[in-house]
Amino acid sequence: MSTTTAHPTEDMPQLWSDSPDTHLLTRCWDFVERIVDHPTQHVGGVVYFEVLDQLLIDGGLMEAAWPYMKERTRARTLLMLDDVDVRLPGVDPRQNPHTTPVRGAQAAQRLK
């Protein structure tokens, strides 16, 4: 058994890729969209903590994932960004061009 723990977003190589497999990403985000709508709050909450939270912590991944997200996942993402007072260009339609985006360690600190 390995004692090495991978960073969660290292499991998302398509979001880091210069030429992502758009078909695969579309299928993945279709699946995430179904989980967001799950009637059990605990299941829907998984999207927040295991997907969206991780994308926000790793600078640039939220922006890379945004085009593949579906309507309800985007709405949940905007709620999460509001909760932590984060604005990301290309993601948040309310982004003020004079506001400095908050990412990485700063975003992680706001999530605590």
PDB file of all heavy atoms in Angstrom, residues 76-104:
ATOM      1  N   ARG A  76     -24.378  26.515  -8.649  1.00  0.00           N
ATOM      2  CA  ARG A  76     -23.764  26.123  -7.364  1.00  0.00           C
ATOM      3  C   ARG A  76     -22.384  26.748  -7.230  1.00  0.00           C
ATOM      4  O   ARG A  76     -21.986  27.180  -6.149  1.00  0.00           O
ATOM      5  CB  ARG A  76     -23.679  24.594  -7.298  1.00  0.00           C
ATOM      6  CG  ARG A  76     -23.016  24.033  -6.066  1.00  0.00           C
ATOM      7  CD  ARG A  76     -23.864  24.125  -4.811  1.00  0.00           C
ATOM      8  NE  ARG A  76     -25.079  23.381  -4.887  1.00  0.00           N
ATOM      9  CZ  ARG A  76     -25.254  22.152  -4.418  1.00  0.00           C
ATOM     10  NH1 ARG A  76     -24.257  21.517  -3.848  1.00  0.00           N
ATOM     11  NH2 ARG A  76     -26.424  21.563  -4.517  1.00  0.00           N
ATOM     12  N   THR A  77     -21.650  26.803  -8.324  1.00  0.00           N
ATOM     13  CA  THR A  77     -20.310  27.397  -8.306  1.00  0.00           C
ATOM     14  C   THR A  77     -20.388  28.877  -7.955  1.00  0.00           C
ATOM     15  O   THR A  77     -19.619  29.367  -7.118  1.00  0.00           O
ATOM     16  CB  THR A  77     -19.631  27.220  -9.678  1.00  0.00           C
ATOM     17  OG1 THR A  77     -19.508  25.824  -9.947  1.00  0.00           O
ATOM     18  CG2 THR A  77     -18.256  27.857  -9.713  1.00  0.00           C
ATOM     19  N   LEU A  78     -21.319  29.597  -8.564  1.00  0.00           N
ATOM     20  CA  LEU A  78     -21.454  31.028  -8.270  1.00  0.00           C
ATOM     21  C   LEU A  78     -21.861  31.270  -6.820  1.00  0.00           C
ATOM     22  O   LEU A  78     -21.377  32.214  -6.180  1.00  0.00           O
ATOM     23  CB  LEU A  78     -22.444  31.681  -9.230  1.00  0.00           C
ATOM     24  CG  LEU A  78     -21.964  31.768 -10.683  1.00  0.00           C
ATOM     25  CD1 LEU A  78     -23.071  32.313 -11.575  1.00  0.00           C
ATOM     26  CD2 LEU A  78     -20.697  32.601 -10.806  1.00  0.00           C
ATOM     27  N   LEU A  79     -22.710  30.392  -6.271  1.00  0.00           N
ATOM     28  CA  LEU A  79     -23.066  30.497  -4.851  1.00  0.00           C
ATOM     29  C   LEU A  79     -21.834  30.297  -3.969  1.00  0.00           C
ATOM     30  O   LEU A  79     -21.633  31.022  -2.993  1.00  0.00           O
ATOM     31  CB  LEU A  79     -24.144  29.477  -4.483  1.00  0.00           C
ATOM     32  CG  LEU A  79     -25.542  29.773  -4.979  1.00  0.00           C
ATOM     33  CD1 LEU A  79     -26.469  28.588  -4.688  1.00  0.00           C
ATOM     34  CD2 LEU A  79     -26.081  31.044  -4.341  1.00  0.00           C
ATOM     35  N   MET A  80     -21.016  29.298  -4.318  1.00  0.00           N
ATOM     36  CA  MET A  80     -19.809  29.036  -3.548  1.00  0.00           C
ATOM     37  C   MET A  80     -18.867  30.237  -3.625  1.00  0.00           C
ATOM     38  O   MET A  80     -18.317  30.661  -2.608  1.00  0.00           O
ATOM     39  CB  MET A  80     -19.096  27.781  -4.060  1.00  0.00           C
ATOM     40  CG  MET A  80     -17.832  27.467  -3.283  1.00  0.00           C
ATOM     41  SD  MET A  80     -16.843  26.188  -4.045  1.00  0.00           S
ATOM     42  CE  MET A  80     -16.161  27.071  -5.421  1.00  0.00           C
ATOM     43  N   LEU A  81     -18.693  30.787  -4.808  1.00  0.00           N
ATOM     44  CA  LEU A  81     -17.818  31.946  -4.961  1.00  0.00           C
ATOM     45  C   LEU A  81     -18.334  33.135  -4.153  1.00  0.00           C
ATOM     46  O   LEU A  81     -17.546  33.871  -3.556  1.00  0.00           O
ATOM     47  CB  LEU A  81     -17.669  32.312  -6.437  1.00  0.00           C
ATOM     48  CG  LEU A  81     -16.920  31.300  -7.300  1.00  0.00           C
ATOM     49  CD1 LEU A  81     -16.972  31.702  -8.770  1.00  0.00           C
ATOM     50  CD2 LEU A  81     -15.489  31.107  -6.831  1.00  0.00           C
ATOM     51  N   ASP A  82     -19.642  33.321  -4.129  1.00  0.00           N
ATOM     52  CA  ASP A  82     -20.233  34.384  -3.306  1.00  0.00           C
ATOM     53  C   ASP A  82     -19.948  34.141  -1.830  1.00  0.00           C
ATOM     54  O   ASP A  82     -19.617  35.071  -1.100  1.00  0.00           O
ATOM     55  CB  ASP A  82     -21.750  34.465  -3.505  1.00  0.00           C
ATOM     56  CG  ASP A  82     -22.138  35.271  -4.717  1.00  0.00           C
ATOM     57  OD1 ASP A  82     -21.275  35.958  -5.294  1.00  0.00           O
ATOM     58  OD2 ASP A  82     -23.321  35.203  -5.094  1.00  0.00           O
ATOM     59  N   ASP A  83     -20.095  32.899  -1.393  1.00  0.00           N
ATOM     60  CA  ASP A  83     -19.875  32.564   0.016  1.00  0.00           C
ATOM     61  C   ASP A  83     -18.473  32.917   0.483  1.00  0.00           C
ATOM     62  O   ASP A  83     -18.265  33.281   1.637  1.00  0.00           O
ATOM     63  CB  ASP A  83     -20.130  31.076   0.279  1.00  0.00           C
ATOM     64  CG  ASP A  83     -21.600  30.724   0.276  1.00  0.00           C
ATOM     65  OD1 ASP A  83     -22.443  31.649   0.314  1.00  0.00           O
ATOM     66  OD2 ASP A  83     -21.914  29.515   0.221  1.00  0.00           O
ATOM     67  N   VAL A  84     -17.493  32.769  -0.401  1.00  0.00           N
ATOM     68  CA  VAL A  84     -16.102  33.046  -0.018  1.00  0.00           C
ATOM     69  C   VAL A  84     -15.613  34.377  -0.575  1.00  0.00           C
ATOM     70  O   VAL A  84     -14.433  34.694  -0.496  1.00  0.00           O
ATOM     71  CB  VAL A  84     -15.156  31.891  -0.419  1.00  0.00           C
ATOM     72  CG1 VAL A  84     -15.490  30.634   0.359  1.00  0.00           C
ATOM     73  CG2 VAL A  84     -15.176  31.636  -1.909  1.00  0.00           C
ATOM     74  N   ASP A  85     -16.548  35.154  -1.158  1.00  0.00           N
ATOM     75  CA  ASP A  85     -16.247  36.482  -1.691  1.00  0.00           C
ATOM     76  C   ASP A  85     -15.086  36.447  -2.686  1.00  0.00           C
ATOM     77  O   ASP A  85     -14.123  37.200  -2.587  1.00  0.00           O
ATOM     78  CB  ASP A  85     -15.950  37.465  -0.555  1.00  0.00           C
ATOM     79  CG  ASP A  85     -15.990  38.906  -1.038  1.00  0.00           C
ATOM     80  OD1 ASP A  85     -16.708  39.197  -2.015  1.00  0.00           O
ATOM     81  OD2 ASP A  85     -15.276  39.740  -0.446  1.00  0.00           O
ATOM     82  N   VAL A  86     -15.196  35.536  -3.661  1.00  0.00           N
ATOM     83  CA  VAL A  86     -14.177  35.382  -4.695  1.00  0.00           C
ATOM     84  C   VAL A  86     -14.803  35.697  -6.044  1.00  0.00           C
ATOM     85  O   VAL A  86     -15.920  35.274  -6.336  1.00  0.00           O
ATOM     86  CB  VAL A  86     -13.595  33.944  -4.697  1.00  0.00           C
ATOM     87  CG1 VAL A  86     -12.717  33.701  -5.905  1.00  0.00           C
ATOM     88  CG2 VAL A  86     -12.810  33.698  -3.414  1.00  0.00           C
ATOM     89  N   ARG A  87     -14.079  36.447  -6.858  1.00  0.00           N
ATOM     90  CA  ARG A  87     -14.500  36.750  -8.223  1.00  0.00           C
ATOM     91  C   ARG A  87     -13.420  36.249  -9.165  1.00  0.00           C
ATOM     92  O   ARG A  87     -12.241  36.544  -8.963  1.00  0.00           O
ATOM     93  CB  ARG A  87     -14.692  38.254  -8.433  1.00  0.00           C
ATOM     94  CG  ARG A  87     -15.698  38.892  -7.504  1.00  0.00           C
ATOM     95  CD  ARG A  87     -17.121  38.478  -7.865  1.00  0.00           C
ATOM     96  NE  ARG A  87     -18.097  39.119  -7.032  1.00  0.00           N
ATOM     97  CZ  ARG A  87     -18.640  38.556  -5.961  1.00  0.00           C
ATOM     98  NH1 ARG A  87     -18.293  37.357  -5.589  1.00  0.00           N
ATOM     99  NH2 ARG A  87     -19.554  39.189  -5.257  1.00  0.00           N
ATOM    100  N   LEU A  88     -13.811  35.497 -10.173  1.00  0.00           N
ATOM    101  CA  LEU A  88     -12.856  34.971 -11.150  1.00  0.00           C
ATOM    102  C   LEU A  88     -13.240  35.443 -12.549  1.00  0.00           C
ATOM    103  O   LEU A  88     -14.364  35.222 -12.985  1.00  0.00           O
ATOM    104  CB  LEU A  88     -12.846  33.437 -11.124  1.00  0.00           C
ATOM    105  CG  LEU A  88     -12.414  32.782  -9.825  1.00  0.00           C
ATOM    106  CD1 LEU A  88     -12.577  31.274  -9.917  1.00  0.00           C
ATOM    107  CD2 LEU A  88     -10.971  33.134  -9.512  1.00  0.00           C
ATOM    108  N   PRO A  89     -12.310  36.061 -13.256  1.00  0.00           N
ATOM    109  CA  PRO A  89     -12.609  36.491 -14.618  1.00  0.00           C
ATOM    110  C   PRO A  89     -12.938  35.281 -15.491  1.00  0.00           C
ATOM    111  O   PRO A  89     -12.313  34.237 -15.379  1.00  0.00           O
ATOM    112  CB  PRO A  89     -11.325  37.159 -15.100  1.00  0.00           C
ATOM    113  CG  PRO A  89     -10.345  37.080 -13.992  1.00  0.00           C
ATOM    114  CD  PRO A  89     -10.954  36.344 -12.847  1.00  0.00           C
ATOM    115  N   GLY A  90     -13.948  35.433 -16.323  1.00  0.00           N
ATOM    116  CA  GLY A  90     -14.341  34.336 -17.202  1.00  0.00           C
ATOM    117  C   GLY A  90     -15.295  33.362 -16.550  1.00  0.00           C
ATOM    118  O   GLY A  90     -15.855  32.505 -17.208  1.00  0.00           O
ATOM    119  N   VAL A  91     -15.467  33.468 -15.231  1.00  0.00           N
ATOM    120  CA  VAL A  91     -16.366  32.577 -14.507  1.00  0.00           C
ATOM    121  C   VAL A  91     -17.533  33.367 -13.939  1.00  0.00           C
ATOM    122  O   VAL A  91     -18.681  33.032 -14.153  1.00  0.00           O
ATOM    123  CB  VAL A  91     -15.634  31.837 -13.363  1.00  0.00           C
ATOM    124  CG1 VAL A  91     -16.616  31.086 -12.476  1.00  0.00           C
ATOM    125  CG2 VAL A  91     -14.585  30.892 -13.927  1.00  0.00           C
ATOM    126  N   ASP A  92     -17.223  34.417 -13.227  1.00  0.00           N
ATOM    127  CA  ASP A  92     -18.247  35.198 -12.542  1.00  0.00           C
ATOM    128  C   ASP A  92     -18.691  36.351 -13.428  1.00  0.00           C
ATOM    129  O   ASP A  92     -17.894  37.252 -13.718  1.00  0.00           O
ATOM    130  CB  ASP A  92     -17.685  35.717 -11.223  1.00  0.00           C
ATOM    131  CG  ASP A  92     -18.755  36.271 -10.323  1.00  0.00           C
ATOM    132  OD1 ASP A  92     -19.789  36.730 -10.831  1.00  0.00           O
ATOM    133  OD2 ASP A  92     -18.551  36.242  -9.102  1.00  0.00           O
ATOM    134  N   PRO A  93     -19.945  36.343 -13.875  1.00  0.00           N
ATOM    135  CA  PRO A  93     -20.413  37.416 -14.748  1.00  0.00           C
ATOM    136  C   PRO A  93     -20.416  38.785 -14.067  1.00  0.00           C
ATOM    137  O   PRO A  93     -20.483  39.802 -14.721  1.00  0.00           O
ATOM    138  CB  PRO A  93     -21.842  36.994 -15.111  1.00  0.00           C
ATOM    139  CG  PRO A  93     -22.243  36.019 -14.073  1.00  0.00           C
ATOM    140  CD  PRO A  93     -20.985  35.385 -13.553  1.00  0.00           C
ATOM    141  N   ARG A  94     -20.291  38.798 -12.751  1.00  0.00           N
ATOM    142  CA  ARG A  94     -20.257  40.062 -12.009  1.00  0.00           C
ATOM    143  C   ARG A  94     -18.833  40.534 -11.793  1.00  0.00           C
ATOM    144  O   ARG A  94     -18.593  41.479 -11.077  1.00  0.00           O
ATOM    145  CB  ARG A  94     -20.947  39.896 -10.659  1.00  0.00           C
ATOM    146  CG  ARG A  94     -22.386  39.449 -10.808  1.00  0.00           C
ATOM    147  CD  ARG A  94     -22.844  38.733  -9.598  1.00  0.00           C
ATOM    148  NE  ARG A  94     -21.984  37.556  -9.416  1.00  0.00           N
ATOM    149  CZ  ARG A  94     -22.067  36.727  -8.402  1.00  0.00           C
ATOM    150  NH1 ARG A  94     -22.937  36.925  -7.471  1.00  0.00           N
ATOM    151  NH2 ARG A  94     -21.278  35.678  -8.317  1.00  0.00           N
ATOM    152  N   GLN A  95     -17.862  39.850 -12.398  1.00  0.00           N
ATOM    153  CA  GLN A  95     -16.450  40.181 -12.213  1.00  0.00           C
ATOM    154  C   GLN A  95     -16.184  41.633 -12.587  1.00  0.00           C
ATOM    155  O   GLN A  95     -16.493  42.070 -13.683  1.00  0.00           O
ATOM    156  CB  GLN A  95     -15.568  39.269 -13.064  1.00  0.00           C
ATOM    157  CG  GLN A  95     -14.105  39.646 -13.088  1.00  0.00           C
ATOM    158  CD  GLN A  95     -13.409  39.509 -11.759  1.00  0.00           C
ATOM    159  OE1 GLN A  95     -13.767  38.670 -10.958  1.00  0.00           O
ATOM    160  NE2 GLN A  95     -12.424  40.329 -11.510  1.00  0.00           N
ATOM    161  N   ASN A  96     -15.631  42.343 -11.660  1.00  0.00           N
ATOM    162  CA  ASN A  96     -15.224  43.718 -11.887  1.00  0.00           C
ATOM    163  C   ASN A  96     -13.819  43.673 -12.478  1.00  0.00           C
ATOM    164  O   ASN A  96     -12.919  43.092 -11.876  1.00  0.00           O
ATOM    165  CB  ASN A  96     -15.225  44.461 -10.542  1.00  0.00           C
ATOM    166  CG  ASN A  96     -14.756  45.888 -10.662  1.00  0.00           C
ATOM    167  OD1 ASN A  96     -14.129  46.278 -11.637  1.00  0.00           O
ATOM    168  ND2 ASN A  96     -15.067  46.661  -9.641  1.00  0.00           N
ATOM    169  N   PRO A  97     -13.579  44.273 -13.640  1.00  0.00           N
ATOM    170  CA  PRO A  97     -12.251  44.198 -14.255  1.00  0.00           C
ATOM    171  C   PRO A  97     -11.165  44.841 -13.409  1.00  0.00           C
ATOM    172  O   PRO A  97      -9.994  44.594 -13.623  1.00  0.00           O
ATOM    173  CB  PRO A  97     -12.418  44.936 -15.588  1.00  0.00           C
ATOM    174  CG  PRO A  97     -13.668  45.728 -15.459  1.00  0.00           C
ATOM    175  CD  PRO A  97     -14.523  45.056 -14.415  1.00  0.00           C
ATOM    176  N   HIS A  98     -11.537  45.621 -12.412  1.00  0.00           N
ATOM    177  CA  HIS A  98     -10.559  46.269 -11.547  1.00  0.00           C
ATOM    178  C   HIS A  98     -10.301  45.485 -10.261  1.00  0.00           C
ATOM    179  O   HIS A  98      -9.512  45.901  -9.432  1.00  0.00           O
ATOM    180  CB  HIS A  98     -11.014  47.689 -11.208  1.00  0.00           C
ATOM    181  CG  HIS A  98     -11.256  48.515 -12.427  1.00  0.00           C
ATOM    182  ND1 HIS A  98     -10.240  48.923 -13.260  1.00  0.00           N
ATOM    183  CD2 HIS A  98     -12.401  48.951 -12.987  1.00  0.00           C
ATOM    184  CE1 HIS A  98     -10.758  49.600 -14.277  1.00  0.00           C
ATOM    185  NE2 HIS A  98     -12.069  49.630 -14.125  1.00  0.00           N
ATOM    186  N   THR A  99     -10.977  44.338 -10.113  1.00  0.00           N
ATOM    187  CA  THR A  99     -10.810  43.508  -8.929  1.00  0.00           C
ATOM    188  C   THR A  99      -9.739  42.458  -9.200  1.00  0.00           C
ATOM    189  O   THR A  99      -9.729  41.845 -10.254  1.00  0.00           O
ATOM    190  CB  THR A  99     -12.128  42.786  -8.579  1.00  0.00           C
ATOM    191  OG1 THR A  99     -13.131  43.771  -8.390  1.00  0.00           O
ATOM    192  CG2 THR A  99     -11.985  41.944  -7.334  1.00  0.00           C
ATOM    193  N   THR A 100      -8.855  42.272  -8.261  1.00  0.00           N
ATOM    194  CA  THR A 100      -7.830  41.256  -8.411  1.00  0.00           C
ATOM    195  C   THR A 100      -8.433  39.902  -8.063  1.00  0.00           C
ATOM    196  O   THR A 100      -9.010  39.734  -6.994  1.00  0.00           O
ATOM    197  CB  THR A 100      -6.647  41.536  -7.448  1.00  0.00           C
ATOM    198  OG1 THR A 100      -6.158  42.838  -7.722  1.00  0.00           O
ATOM    199  CG2 THR A 100      -5.555  40.509  -7.613  1.00  0.00           C
ATOM    200  N   PRO A 101      -8.313  38.921  -8.972  1.00  0.00           N
ATOM    201  CA  PRO A 101      -8.844  37.589  -8.674  1.00  0.00           C
ATOM    202  C   PRO A 101      -8.155  36.990  -7.452  1.00  0.00           C
ATOM    203  O   PRO A 101      -6.976  37.232  -7.206  1.00  0.00           O
ATOM    204  CB  PRO A 101      -8.518  36.779  -9.923  1.00  0.00           C
ATOM    205  CG  PRO A 101      -8.233  37.779 -10.981  1.00  0.00           C
ATOM    206  CD  PRO A 101      -7.720  39.005 -10.290  1.00  0.00           C
ATOM    207  N   VAL A 102      -8.890  36.219  -6.689  1.00  0.00           N
ATOM    208  CA  VAL A 102      -8.360  35.535  -5.517  1.00  0.00           C
ATOM    209  C   VAL A 102      -8.293  34.058  -5.850  1.00  0.00           C
ATOM    210  O   VAL A 102      -9.274  33.461  -6.255  1.00  0.00           O
ATOM    211  CB  VAL A 102      -9.268  35.762  -4.290  1.00  0.00           C
ATOM    212  CG1 VAL A 102      -8.753  34.988  -3.100  1.00  0.00           C
ATOM    213  CG2 VAL A 102      -9.357  37.243  -3.975  1.00  0.00           C
ATOM    214  N   ARG A 103      -7.101  33.472  -5.712  1.00  0.00           N
ATOM    215  CA  ARG A 103      -6.917  32.068  -6.058  1.00  0.00           C
ATOM    216  C   ARG A 103      -5.980  31.409  -5.066  1.00  0.00           C
ATOM    217  O   ARG A 103      -5.397  32.042  -4.225  1.00  0.00           O
ATOM    218  CB  ARG A 103      -6.292  31.938  -7.444  1.00  0.00           C
ATOM    219  CG  ARG A 103      -7.125  32.400  -8.571  1.00  0.00           C
ATOM    220  CD  ARG A 103      -6.474  31.935  -9.866  1.00  0.00           C
ATOM    221  NE  ARG A 103      -7.259  32.358 -10.986  1.00  0.00           N
ATOM    222  CZ  ARG A 103      -7.079  33.490 -11.639  1.00  0.00           C
ATOM    223  NH1 ARG A 103      -6.134  34.303 -11.287  1.00  0.00           N
ATOM    224  NH2 ARG A 103      -7.843  33.807 -12.640  1.00  0.00           N
ATOM    225  N   GLY A 104      -5.790  30.116  -5.288  1.00  0.00           N
ATOM    226  CA  GLY A 104      -4.797  29.346  -4.559  1.00  0.00           C
ATOM    227  C   GLY A 104      -4.913  29.477  -3.055  1.00  0.00           C
ATOM    228  O   GLY A 104      -5.978  29.263  -2.487  1.00  0.00           O
TER     229      GLY A 104
END
